[in-house]
Amino acid sequence: MTLRRFMLPGAALVAVLAVLGMQFAFGGGDFVPSAAADPCVERPLGPVTTDLDQVTQAVVVGGVQDAACALGTSRESLLLALPNATDRAALAQQTGKTEDEILAAVKAGMLASVDRLDQGGRIPPASGLVDAYASELGLSGLALQAVKSVPPEMIDRLLPTGAVVRRAIEGLDLAELLSDADGPDAWEPALRSAIRDAAIAEVKEQILDQLPSSLSSVFGG
Amino acid sequence: MVRVLSLAVGIVLADSAIVTLALPQILRELDAEVSEVAWVLTAYNLVLGLAAVPAARMSLTAARAPLAGVAGLIVFAAASAACALAGSLEMLIGARVVQAIGGALVITACLELLVQATGDAHRGAARWATAGVIGAAVGPVAGGLLTEALSWQAIFFVQVPLVLLAIPAAWALRERPEDPEWAAEAATAVHPLQGGTADRPRVAANLALALLSAALTAALFLLVLLMIEGWQRSPTITAITVTVIPVAAILSGTVARLAQASTRSEAVAGSILIGGGLIALAFLPGAEPAWTIAPQALIGLGLGLTVESLTAFALRDRFPRALQGGWTIASRHLGIVVGLLILTPIFVSGLTDARAPAQQAIAGIVIDAPLPVSTKLTLAGELGEQLDAERGRVPDLAPAFEATPIAPADRREASALAVQLDDQLERAATQAFQNAFLVAGLLALLAIVPALLIRDVDRREPDDHAPTQATPGTVTA
């Protein structure tokens, strides 16, 4: 082949390399879905908030992340698998754990998440959450007025938020919650109910703790 | 006369890919799946490929070519009308099969008819090859514009009067005095009908055409599906975007004239350009149509450099012409079928494989979105339903957001979330097509092997073999 015969194929090759080079320079090959974040890398705690909704989210997301790290999967895979029995079974097989162990890991993760948030000062005192608690407990009118007239220090002593959330998590039956036919729509009422029950139980326990032991036994302490 | 016959050739070959841009609309209207709807393309190309050589045998004499052409035009027009009226995917595919049989008759007869109409064997064959290249390149664009302006049925309705225009021209050629070339061929008894032996087809050129056609299918079929189904772009935007291929194919004529290269150099260069363009489509940096322009330009230049010159080379000094033309059509369209059969499962499995990473990415973004828990839970449920309902397609997430009650204060965050999720879907769709584009690129690069076996002659040099000197049965790579 003379040089002339190589010219056109050579020019074609140069044009192809130029286009490919330009594409790779602008991120060609990296235009793929975002990879799941490593669940074992600790994320910064969110801002201080008095919004119970945000606190709940932080607890759940942190808990799922801890559980995913413990189970050797991503938090996204774990969250996608949790609502569906078939996906849970597949995840159990993939991680080499039983479904009960997976749910136990989620619960342990949420408790660890509460501890972390509490230590980081991200769980607001109950006095800052009076309206939210009142809403969960169904208080209104005079009852709400009465609660609001209680000094903040007393509210914080009677309703330590971290303890209430911990108690709510411990009281949650995750297996039952996840098997609810209504799926995610049923979770929010169940979580609210768990927090309400935990708040009532915590108040009761704190009051009983404050009473002399003779009276405490009368009220069932 | 030459124009209407060229138009008929262009339409028959345009039909090979004309419905590409209409496939998403056909997919929805006829309630089909991607793998099923691909048969609207596959059936036509398969039957055209299989019928081309037998159809060519009906045009081996000057008297027969006009009759075969007219019969083919009538069958093609009737089948096109049936395609437009099809109410189910099965009916549409059936009509496409008949359309391809008519198309095979038209395309092979028109090679002889164009030679007769131009009065020059090389000019007629060149006109035939050029009409085919232009038809194949312009087909998807025309189909896309008709689909967007009217409907997918319009693609087929429009063809009916256009191909019928060629009937008087074909019929008139019955009266033409016999071409001296025909007489010469008859004298050397090369007509199989007259007991002679036909030249063997040029295998290397036809094999290169088959491999390049397989790869070019990917350029049109996959790119269009990626843009419409994956990136949710309109058929009009897609049609405008893919005009880059025919425009570049036309410009390649200038490149070829400047380079003054041989058929072999053009075929090798074209294969590199088509292969490189397809590989570039596998590594797009974004989901903007603009990113496809440079890869398409490479493909268009490659198309212009290869298909026309390889077809002309395959026909040069080979007799009977119609039969040689039949072999090139068979090679090209069976190549397209092989391409579709190889590439369809690859990109369908790519779509399936892309689902998990897309779901994970979507879940991660929803988890971290600054929205209330109740909104996120409802949205997650709705998104899950949309993803489950995809049936092998890229899901549309807008209904999930429409079905989720979102407080006015959260609407800005929800809109930002929708944009982020769409971006993830576009990324997943682009990734889903990656392997198919890479395999198509390899098919094009494989064409370099037969291209290197082509006798290295300047395609513009005067023919060194007068028709009467052609040796029957000569085997040339």
Side-chain angles (χ1 to χ4, degrees), chain A residues 57-79:
Chain A
Q57 277 205 48
V59 169
V60 174
V61 171
V64 169
Q65 183 170 334
D66 276 14
C69 177
L71 293 167
T73 186
S74 68
R75 60 179 194 153
E76 288 81 2
S77 297
L78 180 56
L79 264 179

Side-chain angles (χ1 to χ4, degrees), chain A residues 1 4-6 8-13 15-16 19-20 22-24 26-34 36 43 53-54 56-57 61 74-77 79-80 184-185 187-188 191, chain B residues 255 259-261 264-266 268-269 272-273 276 280 283-287 291 294-295 298 357 359-361 363-364 367-368 371-374 376-377 424 426-428 430-431 456 458:
Chain A
M1 264 192 168
R4 188 183 147 208
R5 285 172 181 162
F6 285 113
L8 196 58
L13 197 59
V16 166
V19 170
L20 282 172
M22 181 192 70
Q23 292 197 172
F24 281 110
F26 280 92
D30 297 330
F31 191 64
V32 294
S34 307
R43 293 182 172 217
D53 190 275
Q54 285 186 27
T56 312
Q57 277 205 48
V61 171
S74 68
R75 60 179 194 153
E76 288 81 2
S77 297
L79 264 179
L80 285 167
D185 289 344
W187 297 355
E188 203 197 354
L191 288 170
Chain B
V255 175
Q260 288 288 307
R264 180 159 74 184
S265 291
E266 285 187 3
V268 171
I272 291 170
L273 288 168
F283 296 106
L284 293 171
W291 282 118
L298 295 179
Q359 276 183 323
Q360 289 231 358
I367 292 168
D368 293 329
L371 288 171
V373 174
S374 57
K376 281 190 195 182
L377 286 174
Q424 292 302 319
E426 286 178 345
R427 285 168 178 269
T430 308
Q431 192 184 26
D456 203 8
D458 187 330

Side-chain angles (χ1 to χ4, degrees), chain B residues 208-285:
Chain B
L209 276 172
L211 287 164
L212 290 171
S213 298
L216 284 164
T217 308
L220 296 168
F221 178 61
L222 296 178
L223 181 59
V224 161
L225 273 184
L226 173 63
M227 287 188 66
I228 295 183
E229 283 290 296
W231 298 350
Q232 311 282 316
R233 298 298 193 276
S234 72
T236 304
I237 294 288
T238 307
I240 292 167
T241 307
V242 298
T243 50
V244 175
I245 291 178
V247 168
I250 291 163
L251 290 178
S252 71
T254 311
V255 175
R257 272 193 299 279
L258 288 173
Q260 288 288 307
S262 64
T263 300
R264 180 159 74 184
S265 291
E266 285 187 3
V268 171
S271 303
I272 291 170
L273 288 168
I274 294 172
L278 285 162
I279 291 168
L281 284 175
F283 296 106
L284 293 171

Side-chain angles (χ1 to χ4, degrees), chain B residues 434-454:
Chain B
Q434 190 175 54
N435 286 341
F437 279 127
L438 283 175
V439 171
L442 289 177
L443 286 173
L445 293 178
L446 262 181
I448 293 173
V449 177
L452 285 172
L453 297 174
I454 290 171

